[in-house]
mmCIF file of all heavy atoms in Angstrom:
data_model
loop_
_atom_site.group_PDB
_atom_site.id
_atom_site.type_symbol
_atom_site.label_atom_id
_atom_site.label_comp_id
_atom_site.label_asym_id
_atom_site.label_seq_id
_atom_site.Cartn_x
_atom_site.Cartn_y
_atom_site.Cartn_z
ATOM 1 N N MET D 1 0.835 -1.173 -0.021
ATOM 2 C CA MET D 1 -0.006 -0.003 0.047
ATOM 3 C C MET D 1 0.891 1.293 0.007
ATOM 4 O O MET D 1 1.930 1.290 0.598
ATOM 5 C CB MET D 1 -0.925 -0.045 1.229
ATOM 6 C CG MET D 1 -1.906 1.070 1.333
ATOM 7 S SD MET D 1 -3.335 0.652 0.434
ATOM 8 C CE MET D 1 -4.290 2.091 0.719
ATOM 9 N N MET D 2 0.373 2.284 -0.685
ATOM 10 C CA MET D 2 1.138 3.563 -0.739
ATOM 11 C C MET D 2 1.001 4.368 0.505
ATOM 12 O O MET D 2 -0.029 4.372 1.158
ATOM 13 C CB MET D 2 0.552 4.332 -1.893
ATOM 14 C CG MET D 2 1.482 4.975 -2.852
ATOM 15 S SD MET D 2 0.743 6.066 -3.955
ATOM 16 C CE MET D 2 0.657 5.053 -5.448
ATOM 17 N N PRO D 3 2.096 5.003 0.961
ATOM 18 C CA PRO D 3 2.045 5.818 2.121
ATOM 19 C C PRO D 3 1.049 7.012 1.891
ATOM 20 O O PRO D 3 0.848 7.450 0.743
ATOM 21 C CB PRO D 3 3.436 6.385 2.284
ATOM 22 C CG PRO D 3 4.310 5.562 1.459
ATOM 23 C CD PRO D 3 3.453 4.889 0.404
ATOM 24 N N PRO D 4 0.337 7.416 2.931
ATOM 25 C CA PRO D 4 -0.742 8.452 2.739
ATOM 26 C C PRO D 4 -0.217 9.727 2.109
ATOM 27 O O PRO D 4 -0.905 10.422 1.329
ATOM 28 C CB PRO D 4 -1.184 8.750 4.191
ATOM 29 C CG PRO D 4 -0.806 7.533 4.930
ATOM 30 C CD PRO D 4 0.394 6.949 4.282
ATOM 31 N N GLU D 5 1.018 10.165 2.459
ATOM 32 C CA GLU D 5 1.607 11.436 1.907
ATOM 33 C C GLU D 5 1.746 11.253 0.345
ATOM 34 O O GLU D 5 1.520 12.179 -0.414
ATOM 35 C CB GLU D 5 2.982 11.786 2.452
ATOM 36 C CG GLU D 5 3.156 11.671 3.962
ATOM 37 C CD GLU D 5 3.413 10.252 4.427
ATOM 38 O OE1 GLU D 5 4.220 9.517 3.886
ATOM 39 O OE2 GLU D 5 2.777 9.898 5.467
ATOM 40 N N LEU D 6 2.208 10.087 -0.013
ATOM 41 C CA LEU D 6 2.459 9.808 -1.480
ATOM 42 C C LEU D 6 1.146 9.747 -2.176
ATOM 43 O O LEU D 6 0.933 10.263 -3.334
ATOM 44 C CB LEU D 6 3.241 8.509 -1.673
ATOM 45 C CG LEU D 6 3.729 8.213 -3.091
ATOM 46 C CD1 LEU D 6 4.549 9.373 -3.653
ATOM 47 C CD2 LEU D 6 4.565 7.021 -3.075
ATOM 48 N N MET D 7 0.118 9.128 -1.564
ATOM 49 C CA MET D 7 -1.207 9.051 -2.180
ATOM 50 C C MET D 7 -1.764 10.482 -2.309
ATOM 51 O O MET D 7 -2.329 10.764 -3.363
ATOM 52 C CB MET D 7 -2.132 8.201 -1.255
ATOM 53 C CG MET D 7 -3.462 7.948 -1.825
ATOM 54 S SD MET D 7 -3.393 7.037 -3.365
ATOM 55 C CE MET D 7 -3.498 5.423 -2.755
ATOM 56 N N ALA D 8 -1.637 11.335 -1.308
ATOM 57 C CA ALA D 8 -2.088 12.669 -1.415
ATOM 58 C C ALA D 8 -1.433 13.462 -2.555
ATOM 59 O O ALA D 8 -2.050 14.203 -3.387
ATOM 60 C CB ALA D 8 -1.905 13.414 -0.137
ATOM 61 N N LYS D 9 -0.097 13.313 -2.724
ATOM 62 C CA LYS D 9 0.624 13.952 -3.840
ATOM 63 C C LYS D 9 0.134 13.392 -5.179
ATOM 64 O O LYS D 9 -0.051 14.157 -6.141
ATOM 65 C CB LYS D 9 2.147 13.648 -3.732
ATOM 66 C CG LYS D 9 2.783 14.500 -2.655
ATOM 67 C CD LYS D 9 4.263 14.219 -2.580
ATOM 68 C CE LYS D 9 4.909 15.107 -1.485
ATOM 69 N NZ LYS D 9 6.404 14.881 -1.489
ATOM 70 N N ALA D 10 -0.150 12.087 -5.274
ATOM 71 C CA ALA D 10 -0.673 11.509 -6.505
ATOM 72 C C ALA D 10 -2.083 12.109 -6.831
ATOM 73 O O ALA D 10 -2.296 12.401 -7.999
ATOM 74 C CB ALA D 10 -0.711 10.036 -6.397
ATOM 75 N N ARG D 11 -2.862 12.259 -5.813
ATOM 76 C CA ARG D 11 -4.173 12.825 -6.077
ATOM 77 C C ARG D 11 -4.077 14.293 -6.541
ATOM 78 O O ARG D 11 -4.836 14.670 -7.455
ATOM 79 C CB ARG D 11 -5.080 12.746 -4.748
ATOM 80 C CG ARG D 11 -5.568 11.364 -4.515
ATOM 81 C CD ARG D 11 -6.594 11.409 -3.413
ATOM 82 N NE ARG D 11 -7.021 10.051 -3.065
ATOM 83 C CZ ARG D 11 -6.865 9.454 -1.905
ATOM 84 N NH1 ARG D 11 -6.328 10.077 -0.864
ATOM 85 N NH2 ARG D 11 -7.245 8.206 -1.739
ATOM 86 N N ARG D 12 -3.185 15.030 -5.909
ATOM 87 C CA ARG D 12 -3.002 16.468 -6.379
ATOM 88 C C ARG D 12 -2.449 16.438 -7.827
ATOM 89 O O ARG D 12 -2.956 17.319 -8.604
ATOM 90 C CB ARG D 12 -2.124 17.211 -5.435
ATOM 91 C CG ARG D 12 -2.778 17.610 -4.088
ATOM 92 C CD ARG D 12 -1.962 18.559 -3.300
ATOM 93 N NE ARG D 12 -0.647 18.099 -2.892
ATOM 94 C CZ ARG D 12 -0.359 17.393 -1.841
ATOM 95 N NH1 ARG D 12 -1.316 17.101 -1.047
ATOM 96 N NH2 ARG D 12 0.899 17.024 -1.549
ATOM 97 N N ALA D 13 -1.546 15.595 -8.100
ATOM 98 C CA ALA D 13 -1.008 15.556 -9.455
ATOM 99 C C ALA D 13 -2.110 15.259 -10.484
ATOM 100 O O ALA D 13 -2.160 15.823 -11.504
ATOM 101 C CB ALA D 13 0.152 14.593 -9.546
ATOM 102 N N LEU D 14 -2.949 14.308 -10.139
ATOM 103 C CA LEU D 14 -4.027 13.938 -11.070
ATOM 104 C C LEU D 14 -5.030 15.089 -11.205
ATOM 105 O O LEU D 14 -5.447 15.322 -12.346
ATOM 106 C CB LEU D 14 -4.789 12.626 -10.502
ATOM 107 C CG LEU D 14 -5.889 12.109 -11.344
ATOM 108 C CD1 LEU D 14 -5.460 11.785 -12.785
ATOM 109 C CD2 LEU D 14 -6.516 10.946 -10.660
ATOM 110 N N ALA D 15 -5.315 15.768 -10.132
ATOM 111 C CA ALA D 15 -6.272 16.912 -10.220
ATOM 112 C C ALA D 15 -5.589 17.994 -11.040
ATOM 113 O O ALA D 15 -6.292 18.613 -11.902
ATOM 114 C CB ALA D 15 -6.556 17.446 -8.824
ATOM 115 N N SER D 16 -4.280 18.229 -10.936
ATOM 116 C CA SER D 16 -3.642 19.175 -11.767
ATOM 117 C C SER D 16 -3.642 18.823 -13.191
ATOM 118 O O SER D 16 -3.859 19.630 -14.057
ATOM 119 C CB SER D 16 -2.166 19.364 -11.234
ATOM 120 O OG SER D 16 -2.104 19.921 -10.016
ATOM 121 N N ALA D 17 -3.415 17.537 -13.476
ATOM 122 C CA ALA D 17 -3.425 17.051 -14.866
ATOM 123 C C ALA D 17 -4.802 17.254 -15.512
ATOM 124 O O ALA D 17 -4.915 17.679 -16.664
ATOM 125 C CB ALA D 17 -3.047 15.627 -14.914
ATOM 126 N N ARG D 18 -5.873 16.981 -14.731
ATOM 127 C CA ARG D 18 -7.218 17.161 -15.242
ATOM 128 C C ARG D 18 -7.438 18.629 -15.527
ATOM 129 O O ARG D 18 -8.142 18.994 -16.545
ATOM 130 C CB ARG D 18 -8.218 16.625 -14.202
ATOM 131 C CG ARG D 18 -8.281 15.089 -14.213
ATOM 132 C CD ARG D 18 -9.251 14.577 -13.197
ATOM 133 N NE ARG D 18 -9.284 13.128 -13.194
ATOM 134 C CZ ARG D 18 -9.633 12.434 -12.179
ATOM 135 N NH1 ARG D 18 -10.033 13.058 -11.036
ATOM 136 N NH2 ARG D 18 -9.662 11.105 -12.244
ATOM 137 N N LEU D 19 -7.049 19.435 -14.584
ATOM 138 C CA LEU D 19 -7.266 20.935 -14.790
ATOM 139 C C LEU D 19 -6.479 21.395 -16.045
ATOM 140 O O LEU D 19 -7.035 22.186 -16.833
ATOM 141 C CB LEU D 19 -6.774 21.695 -13.598
ATOM 142 C CG LEU D 19 -6.912 23.216 -13.603
ATOM 143 C CD1 LEU D 19 -8.418 23.578 -13.834
ATOM 144 C CD2 LEU D 19 -6.410 23.827 -12.361
ATOM 145 N N LEU D 20 -5.257 20.930 -16.216
ATOM 146 C CA LEU D 20 -4.491 21.296 -17.449
ATOM 147 C C LEU D 20 -5.286 20.827 -18.655
ATOM 148 O O LEU D 20 -5.190 21.551 -19.725
ATOM 149 C CB LEU D 20 -3.100 20.713 -17.358
ATOM 150 C CG LEU D 20 -2.101 21.481 -16.394
ATOM 151 C CD1 LEU D 20 -0.772 20.695 -16.319
ATOM 152 C CD2 LEU D 20 -1.884 22.941 -16.929
ATOM 153 N N GLN D 21 -5.744 19.696 -18.659
ATOM 154 C CA GLN D 21 -6.579 19.138 -19.805
ATOM 155 C C GLN D 21 -7.753 20.018 -20.141
ATOM 156 O O GLN D 21 -7.987 20.301 -21.221
ATOM 157 C CB GLN D 21 -7.007 17.723 -19.503
ATOM 158 C CG GLN D 21 -7.830 17.061 -20.664
ATOM 159 C CD GLN D 21 -6.989 16.923 -21.924
ATOM 160 O OE1 GLN D 21 -5.945 16.377 -21.861
ATOM 161 N NE2 GLN D 21 -7.481 17.375 -23.041
ATOM 162 N N GLN D 22 -8.422 20.504 -19.068
ATOM 163 C CA GLN D 22 -9.624 21.360 -19.265
ATOM 164 C C GLN D 22 -9.152 22.715 -19.856
ATOM 165 O O GLN D 22 -9.831 23.270 -20.720
ATOM 166 C CB GLN D 22 -10.314 21.588 -17.991
ATOM 167 C CG GLN D 22 -11.043 20.289 -17.481
ATOM 168 C CD GLN D 22 -11.689 20.467 -16.136
ATOM 169 O OE1 GLN D 22 -11.379 21.423 -15.386
ATOM 170 N NE2 GLN D 22 -12.465 19.556 -15.751
ATOM 171 N N VAL D 23 -8.057 23.250 -19.320
ATOM 172 C CA VAL D 23 -7.507 24.485 -19.844
ATOM 173 C C VAL D 23 -7.105 24.342 -21.294
ATOM 174 O O VAL D 23 -7.383 25.139 -22.163
ATOM 175 C CB VAL D 23 -6.324 24.999 -19.015
ATOM 176 C CG1 VAL D 23 -5.565 26.082 -19.717
ATOM 177 C CG2 VAL D 23 -6.818 25.405 -17.664
ATOM 178 N N GLY D 24 -6.489 23.239 -21.679
ATOM 179 C CA GLY D 24 -6.098 22.897 -23.011
ATOM 180 C C GLY D 24 -7.354 22.802 -23.917
ATOM 181 O O GLY D 24 -7.336 23.345 -25.022
ATOM 182 N N ASP D 25 -8.371 22.166 -23.456
ATOM 183 C CA ASP D 25 -9.590 22.020 -24.243
ATOM 184 C C ASP D 25 -10.249 23.422 -24.474
ATOM 185 O O ASP D 25 -10.708 23.696 -25.530
ATOM 186 C CB ASP D 25 -10.631 21.050 -23.530
ATOM 187 C CG ASP D 25 -10.153 19.637 -23.535
ATOM 188 O OD1 ASP D 25 -9.220 19.252 -24.215
ATOM 189 O OD2 ASP D 25 -10.806 18.877 -22.727
ATOM 190 N N ALA D 26 -10.220 24.255 -23.408
ATOM 191 C CA ALA D 26 -10.816 25.572 -23.554
ATOM 192 C C ALA D 26 -10.018 26.374 -24.462
ATOM 193 O O ALA D 26 -10.579 27.165 -25.305
ATOM 194 C CB ALA D 26 -10.837 26.240 -22.159
ATOM 195 N N ALA D 27 -8.690 26.274 -24.446
ATOM 196 C CA ALA D 27 -7.851 27.075 -25.388
ATOM 197 C C ALA D 27 -8.061 26.609 -26.817
ATOM 198 O O ALA D 27 -8.190 27.448 -27.751
ATOM 199 C CB ALA D 27 -6.353 26.886 -24.996
ATOM 200 N N TRP D 28 -8.225 25.321 -27.015
ATOM 201 C CA TRP D 28 -8.504 24.825 -28.424
ATOM 202 C C TRP D 28 -9.904 25.314 -28.900
ATOM 203 O O TRP D 28 -9.990 25.759 -30.010
ATOM 204 C CB TRP D 28 -8.557 23.268 -28.371
ATOM 205 C CG TRP D 28 -8.803 22.699 -29.739
ATOM 206 C CD1 TRP D 28 -8.026 22.475 -30.747
ATOM 207 C CD2 TRP D 28 -10.147 22.309 -30.140
ATOM 208 N NE1 TRP D 28 -8.644 21.937 -31.825
ATOM 209 C CE2 TRP D 28 -9.978 21.817 -31.498
ATOM 210 C CE3 TRP D 28 -11.385 22.300 -29.625
ATOM 211 C CZ2 TRP D 28 -11.040 21.331 -32.297
ATOM 212 C CZ3 TRP D 28 -12.463 21.833 -30.398
ATOM 213 C CH2 TRP D 28 -12.281 21.377 -31.743
ATOM 214 N N ALA D 29 -10.883 25.279 -28.031
ATOM 215 C CA ALA D 29 -12.188 25.776 -28.417
ATOM 216 C C ALA D 29 -12.159 27.294 -28.720
ATOM 217 O O ALA D 29 -12.778 27.746 -29.696
ATOM 218 C CB ALA D 29 -13.162 25.490 -27.297
ATOM 219 N N LEU D 30 -11.373 28.045 -27.948
ATOM 220 C CA LEU D 30 -11.265 29.446 -28.230
ATOM 221 C C LEU D 30 -10.592 29.720 -29.535
ATOM 222 O O LEU D 30 -11.001 30.608 -30.345
ATOM 223 C CB LEU D 30 -10.470 30.157 -27.107
ATOM 224 C CG LEU D 30 -10.210 31.672 -27.240
ATOM 225 C CD1 LEU D 30 -11.529 32.413 -27.312
ATOM 226 C CD2 LEU D 30 -9.422 32.151 -26.069
ATOM 227 N N ALA D 31 -9.591 28.970 -29.875
ATOM 228 C CA ALA D 31 -8.844 29.067 -31.134
ATOM 229 C C ALA D 31 -9.815 28.746 -32.290
ATOM 230 O O ALA D 31 -9.853 29.415 -33.308
ATOM 231 C CB ALA D 31 -7.637 28.230 -31.151
ATOM 232 N N GLN D 32 -10.628 27.766 -32.096
ATOM 233 C CA GLN D 32 -11.640 27.392 -33.149
ATOM 234 C C GLN D 32 -12.623 28.487 -33.347
ATOM 235 O O GLN D 32 -13.022 28.846 -34.475
ATOM 236 C CB GLN D 32 -12.297 26.066 -32.848
ATOM 237 C CG GLN D 32 -11.416 24.847 -32.775
ATOM 238 C CD GLN D 32 -10.688 24.711 -34.127
ATOM 239 O OE1 GLN D 32 -11.311 24.571 -35.149
ATOM 240 N NE2 GLN D 32 -9.401 24.535 -34.028
ATOM 241 N N ALA D 33 -13.106 29.050 -32.207
ATOM 242 C CA ALA D 33 -14.035 30.193 -32.334
ATOM 243 C C ALA D 33 -13.443 31.372 -33.017
ATOM 244 O O ALA D 33 -14.098 32.038 -33.849
ATOM 245 C CB ALA D 33 -14.539 30.582 -30.939
ATOM 246 N N GLU D 34 -12.170 31.679 -32.704
ATOM 247 C CA GLU D 34 -11.522 32.808 -33.392
ATOM 248 C C GLU D 34 -11.395 32.599 -34.866
ATOM 249 O O GLU D 34 -11.498 33.488 -35.659
ATOM 250 C CB GLU D 34 -10.154 33.078 -32.668
ATOM 251 C CG GLU D 34 -10.274 33.677 -31.288
ATOM 252 C CD GLU D 34 -8.877 33.770 -30.599
ATOM 253 O OE1 GLU D 34 -7.931 33.244 -31.091
ATOM 254 O OE2 GLU D 34 -8.854 34.415 -29.544
ATOM 255 N N SER D 35 -11.022 31.378 -35.191
ATOM 256 C CA SER D 35 -10.918 30.993 -36.639
ATOM 257 C C SER D 35 -12.257 31.170 -37.310
ATOM 258 O O SER D 35 -12.302 31.716 -38.484
ATOM 259 C CB SER D 35 -10.388 29.568 -36.816
ATOM 260 O OG SER D 35 -9.123 29.427 -36.360
ATOM 261 N N PHE D 36 -13.315 30.788 -36.698
ATOM 262 C CA PHE D 36 -14.663 30.847 -37.254
ATOM 263 C C PHE D 36 -15.053 32.331 -37.478
ATOM 264 O O PHE D 36 -15.475 32.737 -38.508
ATOM 265 C CB PHE D 36 -15.700 30.175 -36.339
ATOM 266 C CG PHE D 36 -17.064 30.352 -36.845
ATOM 267 C CD1 PHE D 36 -17.545 29.571 -37.942
ATOM 268 C CD2 PHE D 36 -17.919 31.234 -36.243
ATOM 269 C CE1 PHE D 36 -18.859 29.793 -38.316
ATOM 270 C CE2 PHE D 36 -19.153 31.408 -36.684
ATOM 271 C CZ PHE D 36 -19.716 30.670 -37.688
ATOM 272 N N VAL D 37 -14.731 33.155 -36.432
ATOM 273 C CA VAL D 37 -15.097 34.593 -36.502
ATOM 274 C C VAL D 37 -14.304 35.223 -37.646
ATOM 275 O O VAL D 37 -14.830 36.067 -38.403
ATOM 276 C CB VAL D 37 -14.847 35.283 -35.155
ATOM 277 C CG1 VAL D 37 -14.917 36.797 -35.273
ATOM 278 C CG2 VAL D 37 -15.871 34.778 -34.126
ATOM 279 N N THR D 38 -12.984 34.889 -37.731
ATOM 280 C CA THR D 38 -12.146 35.472 -38.780
ATOM 281 C C THR D 38 -12.709 35.078 -40.113
ATOM 282 O O THR D 38 -12.791 35.918 -41.111
ATOM 283 C CB THR D 38 -10.693 34.979 -38.611
ATOM 284 O OG1 THR D 38 -10.238 35.398 -37.349
ATOM 285 C CG2 THR D 38 -9.827 35.536 -39.706
ATOM 286 N N ALA D 39 -13.103 33.816 -40.338
ATOM 287 C CA ALA D 39 -13.627 33.382 -41.640
ATOM 288 C C ALA D 39 -14.912 34.102 -41.886
ATOM 289 O O ALA D 39 -15.136 34.504 -43.070
ATOM 290 C CB ALA D 39 -13.863 31.870 -41.599
ATOM 291 N N MET D 40 -15.777 34.300 -40.959
ATOM 292 C CA MET D 40 -17.067 35.018 -41.129
ATOM 293 C C MET D 40 -16.815 36.526 -41.533
ATOM 294 O O MET D 40 -17.465 37.057 -42.367
ATOM 295 C CB MET D 40 -17.929 34.903 -39.915
ATOM 296 C CG MET D 40 -18.531 33.505 -39.698
ATOM 297 S SD MET D 40 -19.593 32.960 -40.994
ATOM 298 C CE MET D 40 -18.486 31.793 -41.805
ATOM 299 N N GLU D 41 -15.788 37.088 -40.829
ATOM 300 C CA GLU D 41 -15.429 38.461 -41.182
ATOM 301 C C GLU D 41 -14.976 38.633 -42.605
ATOM 302 O O GLU D 41 -15.329 39.546 -43.285
ATOM 303 C CB GLU D 41 -14.389 38.997 -40.172
ATOM 304 C CG GLU D 41 -14.931 39.268 -38.839
ATOM 305 C CD GLU D 41 -13.855 39.627 -37.817
ATOM 306 O OE1 GLU D 41 -12.599 39.241 -38.077
ATOM 307 O OE2 GLU D 41 -14.144 40.158 -36.788
ATOM 308 N N ARG D 42 -14.146 37.671 -43.062
ATOM 309 C CA ARG D 42 -13.684 37.685 -44.417
ATOM 310 C C ARG D 42 -14.863 37.461 -45.446
ATOM 311 O O ARG D 42 -14.947 38.190 -46.444
ATOM 312 C CB ARG D 42 -12.651 36.614 -44.680
ATOM 313 C CG ARG D 42 -11.303 36.890 -44.021
ATOM 314 C CD ARG D 42 -10.285 35.773 -44.394
ATOM 315 N NE ARG D 42 -9.083 35.999 -43.553
ATOM 316 C CZ ARG D 42 -8.302 35.051 -43.189
ATOM 317 N NH1 ARG D 42 -8.588 33.800 -43.467
ATOM 318 N NH2 ARG D 42 -7.211 35.325 -42.518
ATOM 319 N N LEU D 43 -15.731 36.599 -45.088
ATOM 320 C CA LEU D 43 -16.881 36.342 -45.908
ATOM 321 C C LEU D 43 -17.771 37.553 -46.026
ATOM 322 O O LEU D 43 -18.220 37.958 -47.105
ATOM 323 C CB LEU D 43 -17.653 35.113 -45.433
ATOM 324 C CG LEU D 43 -18.832 34.751 -46.199
ATOM 325 C CD1 LEU D 43 -18.456 34.362 -47.612
ATOM 326 C CD2 LEU D 43 -19.589 33.556 -45.525
ATOM 327 N N LEU D 44 -17.993 38.197 -44.898
ATOM 328 C CA LEU D 44 -18.827 39.395 -44.864
ATOM 329 C C LEU D 44 -18.157 40.523 -45.608
ATOM 330 O O LEU D 44 -18.810 41.224 -46.404
ATOM 331 C CB LEU D 44 -18.997 39.847 -43.396
ATOM 332 C CG LEU D 44 -19.866 41.060 -43.191
ATOM 333 C CD1 LEU D 44 -21.289 40.904 -43.762
ATOM 334 C CD2 LEU D 44 -20.001 41.449 -41.709
ATOM 335 N N ALA D 45 -16.857 40.645 -45.524
ATOM 336 C CA ALA D 45 -16.104 41.684 -46.263
ATOM 337 C C ALA D 45 -16.205 41.445 -47.747
ATOM 338 O O ALA D 45 -16.414 42.376 -48.564
ATOM 339 C CB ALA D 45 -14.636 41.752 -45.825
ATOM 340 N N THR D 46 -16.124 40.159 -48.209
ATOM 341 C CA THR D 46 -16.259 39.802 -49.569
ATOM 342 C C THR D 46 -17.621 40.082 -50.079
ATOM 343 O O THR D 46 -17.834 40.698 -51.141
ATOM 344 C CB THR D 46 -15.862 38.322 -49.764
ATOM 345 O OG1 THR D 46 -14.549 38.115 -49.293
ATOM 346 C CG2 THR D 46 -15.974 37.938 -51.258
ATOM 347 N N ASP D 47 -18.625 39.673 -49.323
ATOM 348 C CA ASP D 47 -20.026 39.928 -49.641
ATOM 349 C C ASP D 47 -20.323 41.376 -49.764
ATOM 350 O O ASP D 47 -20.988 41.909 -50.575
ATOM 351 C CB ASP D 47 -20.988 39.209 -48.691
ATOM 352 C CG ASP D 47 -21.030 37.785 -48.959
ATOM 353 O OD1 ASP D 47 -20.472 37.320 -49.950
ATOM 354 O OD2 ASP D 47 -21.563 37.042 -48.087
ATOM 355 N N THR D 48 -19.788 42.171 -48.782
ATOM 356 C CA THR D 48 -20.006 43.636 -48.733
ATOM 357 C C THR D 48 -19.377 44.277 -49.934
ATOM 358 O O THR D 48 -19.940 45.211 -50.573
ATOM 359 C CB THR D 48 -19.436 44.201 -47.416
ATOM 360 O OG1 THR D 48 -20.094 43.593 -46.314
ATOM 361 C CG2 THR D 48 -19.732 45.701 -47.329
ATOM 362 N N ALA D 49 -18.188 43.860 -50.306
ATOM 363 C CA ALA D 49 -17.489 44.383 -51.450
ATOM 364 C C ALA D 49 -18.276 44.175 -52.771
ATOM 365 O O ALA D 49 -18.330 44.968 -53.630
ATOM 366 C CB ALA D 49 -16.101 43.888 -51.585
ATOM 367 N N ARG D 50 -18.914 43.010 -52.814
ATOM 368 C CA ARG D 50 -19.710 42.650 -53.998
ATOM 369 C C ARG D 50 -21.179 43.051 -53.836
ATOM 370 O O ARG D 50 -21.949 42.934 -54.706
ATOM 371 C CB ARG D 50 -19.671 41.141 -54.264
ATOM 372 C CG ARG D 50 -18.343 40.639 -54.593
ATOM 373 C CD ARG D 50 -18.375 39.223 -55.017
ATOM 374 N NE ARG D 50 -18.924 38.415 -53.902
ATOM 375 C CZ ARG D 50 -19.232 37.128 -53.940
ATOM 376 N NH1 ARG D 50 -18.985 36.440 -55.084
ATOM 377 N NH2 ARG D 50 -19.715 36.480 -52.996
ATOM 378 N N GLY D 51 -21.538 43.538 -52.616
ATOM 379 C CA GLY D 51 -22.898 43.732 -52.244
ATOM 380 C C GLY D 51 -23.701 44.629 -53.111
ATOM 381 O O GLY D 51 -24.832 44.434 -53.367
ATOM 382 N N SER D 52 -23.063 45.721 -53.665
ATOM 383 C CA SER D 52 -23.857 46.669 -54.514
ATOM 384 C C SER D 52 -24.488 45.950 -55.738
ATOM 385 O O SER D 52 -25.580 46.191 -56.121
ATOM 386 C CB SER D 52 -23.034 47.874 -54.907
ATOM 387 O OG SER D 52 -21.824 47.364 -55.563
ATOM 388 N N ASP D 53 -23.722 45.045 -56.326
ATOM 389 C CA ASP D 53 -24.184 44.312 -57.519
ATOM 390 C C ASP D 53 -25.289 43.299 -57.095
ATOM 391 O O ASP D 53 -26.310 43.226 -57.771
ATOM 392 C CB ASP D 53 -23.056 43.589 -58.176
ATOM 393 C CG ASP D 53 -22.023 44.453 -58.789
ATOM 394 O OD1 ASP D 53 -22.410 45.552 -59.329
ATOM 395 O OD2 ASP D 53 -20.867 44.226 -58.597
ATOM 396 N N THR D 54 -25.033 42.614 -56.017
ATOM 397 C CA THR D 54 -26.016 41.547 -55.585
ATOM 398 C C THR D 54 -27.289 42.237 -55.059
ATOM 399 O O THR D 54 -28.322 41.708 -55.372
ATOM 400 C CB THR D 54 -25.434 40.610 -54.546
ATOM 401 O OG1 THR D 54 -24.034 40.866 -54.331
ATOM 402 C CG2 THR D 54 -25.699 39.243 -54.769
ATOM 403 N N ASP D 55 -27.185 43.228 -54.294
ATOM 404 C CA ASP D 55 -28.363 43.902 -53.683
ATOM 405 C C ASP D 55 -29.268 44.390 -54.802
ATOM 406 O O ASP D 55 -30.486 44.227 -54.792
ATOM 407 C CB ASP D 55 -27.969 45.018 -52.794
ATOM 408 C CG ASP D 55 -27.327 44.536 -51.469
ATOM 409 O OD1 ASP D 55 -27.473 43.317 -51.213
ATOM 410 O OD2 ASP D 55 -26.739 45.339 -50.786
ATOM 411 N N SER D 56 -28.668 45.019 -55.845
ATOM 412 C CA SER D 56 -29.549 45.651 -56.870
ATOM 413 C C SER D 56 -30.181 44.533 -57.717
ATOM 414 O O SER D 56 -31.302 44.614 -58.119
ATOM 415 C CB SER D 56 -28.770 46.575 -57.767
ATOM 416 O OG SER D 56 -27.644 45.861 -58.388
ATOM 417 N N ALA D 57 -29.469 43.371 -57.858
ATOM 418 C CA ALA D 57 -30.107 42.269 -58.620
ATOM 419 C C ALA D 57 -31.195 41.605 -57.819
ATOM 420 O O ALA D 57 -32.214 41.236 -58.354
ATOM 421 C CB ALA D 57 -29.019 41.222 -58.945
ATOM 422 N N GLU D 58 -31.074 41.603 -56.540
ATOM 423 C CA GLU D 58 -32.148 40.974 -55.689
ATOM 424 C C GLU D 58 -33.323 41.835 -55.605
ATOM 425 O O GLU D 58 -34.464 41.370 -55.506
ATOM 426 C CB GLU D 58 -31.613 40.694 -54.225
ATOM 427 C CG GLU D 58 -30.660 39.602 -54.202
ATOM 428 C CD GLU D 58 -29.972 39.418 -52.754
ATOM 429 O OE1 GLU D 58 -30.416 40.181 -51.889
ATOM 430 O OE2 GLU D 58 -29.148 38.532 -52.605
ATOM 431 N N GLU D 59 -33.151 43.145 -55.702
ATOM 432 C CA GLU D 59 -34.340 44.107 -55.587
ATOM 433 C C GLU D 59 -35.133 44.095 -56.841
ATOM 434 O O GLU D 59 -36.281 44.376 -56.911
ATOM 435 C CB GLU D 59 -33.802 45.490 -55.291
ATOM 436 C CG GLU D 59 -33.298 45.618 -53.899
ATOM 437 C CD GLU D 59 -32.635 47.025 -53.663
ATOM 438 O OE1 GLU D 59 -32.722 47.901 -54.563
ATOM 439 O OE2 GLU D 59 -32.100 47.234 -52.616
ATOM 440 N N SER D 60 -34.458 43.749 -58.050
ATOM 441 C CA SER D 60 -35.199 43.773 -59.307
ATOM 442 C C SER D 60 -36.202 42.698 -59.494
ATOM 443 O O SER D 60 -36.246 41.661 -58.855
ATOM 444 C CB SER D 60 -34.189 43.652 -60.445
ATOM 445 O OG SER D 60 -33.243 44.664 -60.356
#
């Protein structure tokens, strides 16, 4: 059996590893969201640049 002090250290290390995993998951999700927003901004800019032609065609 493991000594209680060593068991406590192992539990803290496991908790730290889990927390680091959650932080990593959150960072990945944030990067994905930033990529999505950047892509949408580019799409909007492209649509806006072409918008005068498309808007007038849709109104006709």
Side-chain angles (χ1 to χ4, degrees):
M1 183 87 180
M2 225 188 259
E5 314 82 44
L6 188 55
M7 186 62 90
K9 285 183 180 182
R11 284 189 183 121
R12 283 193 300 273
L14 182 58
S16 294
R18 286 180 180 153
L19 181 59
L20 284 174
Q21 179 66 49
Q22 290 173 347
V23 168
D25 291 347
W28 179 85
L30 179 59
Q32 296 303 308
E34 289 174 350
S35 295
F36 175 77
V37 168
T38 301
M40 291 297 105
E41 287 173 339
R42 287 183 187 148
L43 182 61
L44 181 59
T46 302
D47 285 349
T48 302
R50 296 185 303 175
S52 56
D53 296 317
T54 348
D55 290 344
S56 58
E58 288 176 2
E59 290 174 6
S60 301

